[in-house]
Amino acid sequence: MLIMNGGRTAELANIAKGINMNSLHVKGDWNIAKGKLKQKYAQLTENDLQYREGCEDELVGRIQKRTGDTKEAVQQFVDECFKS
């Protein structure tokens, strides 16, 4: 609930929009990265590519297990997916 307090309501609304836009941006970036991962590693399933914030190591581990690549190689490719 927002309480009208001068310009504070508008400020809080803009902060909420910023958080929402950042979430959408991250989600869009993840969808692009996921597509690149699927192109390189066709054997990956949707379950392999489930991503939860703060659980990046689990994601890399699932990809590593499915592909047989080293953890370092998978991590490097994931990082490259987000850079381009």
Side-chain angles (χ1 to χ4, degrees):
M1 179 170 99
L2 292 176
I3 299 172
M4 297 296 259
N5 186 9
R8 184 77 176 138
T9 302
E11 182 182 344
L12 290 173
N14 285 336
I15 291 169
K17 284 181 189 175
I19 291 169
N20 191 28
M21 289 301 290
N22 288 339
S23 297
L24 290 175
H25 182 72
V26 168
K27 185 174 182 178
D29 287 348
W30 171 240
N31 286 332
I32 292 167
K34 188 164 75 167
K36 291 178 182 180
L37 285 162
K38 283 183 176 182
Q39 285 178 343
K40 180 169 175 129
Y41 303 114
Q43 68 269 38
L44 294 176
T45 66
E46 285 295 319
N47 285 339
D48 294 330
L49 295 172
Q50 290 294 316
Y51 172 77
R52 289 183 309 189
E53 188 174 345
C55 297
E56 292 84 4
D57 286 341
E58 288 179 18
L59 171 68
V60 171
R62 285 192 304 270
I63 295 170
Q64 178 189 7
K65 182 178 179 182
R66 178 72 70 173
T67 64
D69 280 357
T70 65
K71 181 178 180 177
E72 293 78 19
V74 172
Q75 185 65 58
Q76 181 180 1
F77 188 73
V78 170
D79 291 343
E80 289 171 8
C81 288
F82 282 103
K83 288 180 184 174
S84 51

